[in-house]
Amino acid sequence: MKLMINTLTKIIPFIGLFSLAIISGCSQEQQEVTAAPEPVIIQNGEECDLCGMYINRFPGPKGQVFERGGLTAKRFCSTRDLFAYALQPEHQHRVEHIYVHDVATAPWDEQEKAQYIDAKTAIFVTGHSLKGAMGPALASFSKQEDAEKFAAEFGGELLKFSDIDIDTLSAMSHQAMHHH
Ligand code: ZN
Ligand code: CU1
């Protein structure tokens, strides 16, 4: 099955070169072969792939990244470390799928029990008062109304995935310095 998928992935772009009709006929099949991998469950004792901290020992949403051709997910103690990794130019181009916890689905200090969502469709709250593994945290939500409720309670600003860049992360570092 694995072999067949690999073969299909290689063949489909070639078929596409020869016939537009076949491209449209194949697009559904192509979506199937590139289906997103299931998020993994992060076990106690697993360490953050960026900072080395024990992921489940700290509060706040965590995340994981699947890369092109990679077999295992990269796991992160915080959405902040996840972005710090994924936004690096040498990683950015091979990141395929990013999952983050939906903060609304578990208590802040038990986010390892929360549901994973696709980071690209998530709403984030930055600049709020709750701390994650690395201090100031990006709180991630599947629903805009949950993010708004959270921001009303703990402060902060709502961001889309595409709004988050290196500046967002350095603003969080500044927030950390001013709160200490
Ligand atoms: Zn980390
Ligand atoms: Cu850390």
Side-chain angles (χ1 to χ4, degrees):
M1 187 59 188
K2 192 72 185 273
L3 191 71
M4 201 176 89
I5 287 171
N6 284 338
T7 316
L8 270 179
T9 319
K10 281 174 198 144
I11 288 172
I12 285 168
F14 283 107
I15 296 173
L17 283 176
F18 293 111
S19 163
L20 275 175
I22 292 176
I23 288 183
S24 56
C26 281
S27 62
Q28 206 177 348
E29 209 169 349
Q30 194 164 12
Q31 263 174 11
E32 269 170 33
V33 298
T34 58
E38 285 291 308
V40 298
I41 293 166
I42 297 176
Q43 307 292 340
N44 291 341
E46 288 190 323
E47 295 169 8
C48 175
D49 277 307
L50 191 73
C51 73
M53 282 164 46
Y54 288 117
I55 299 170
N56 288 352
R57 284 211 193 150
F58 297 91
K62 293 108 180 54
Q64 48 187 280
V65 165
F66 286 85
E67 292 175 315
R68 189 158 307 156
L71 298 173
T72 55
K74 290 253 162 56
R75 296 139 219 240
F76 299 95
C77 66
S78 53
T79 44
R80 182 178 171 184
D81 270 4
L82 178 150
F83 276 101
Y85 177 89
L87 290 173
Q88 284 173 36
E90 68 266 37
H91 301 145
Q92 212 164 14
H93 70 280
R94 54 182 155 102
V95 167
E96 279 194 325
H97 301 284
I98 306 180
Y99 296 106
V100 293
H101 281 132
D102 182 354
V103 168
T105 60
W108 182 257
D109 52 6
E110 293 175 35
Q111 284 289 301
E112 68 279 4
K113 295 176 185 159
Q115 279 166 27
Y116 277 109
I117 51 173
D118 181 351
K120 289 176 185 166
T121 60
I123 309 288
F124 296 86
V125 182
T126 184
H128 57 80
S129 60
L130 297 188
K131 296 277 182 286
M134 301 302 284
L138 274 168
S140 35
F141 297 88
S142 61
K143 296 196 193 99
Q144 170 105 13
E145 53 172 300
D146 289 336
E148 281 166 3
K149 232 184 280 171
F150 180 92
E153 195 173 349
F154 303 108
E157 184 196 344
L158 269 60
L159 298 174
K160 294 192 305 270
F161 178 83
S162 55
D163 296 331
I164 297 169
D165 57 16
I166 299 293
D167 291 340
T168 316
L169 301 184
S170 41
M172 290 169 72
S173 307
H174 283 254
Q175 190 197 350
M177 287 192 299
H178 294 146
H179 281 238
H180 278 206

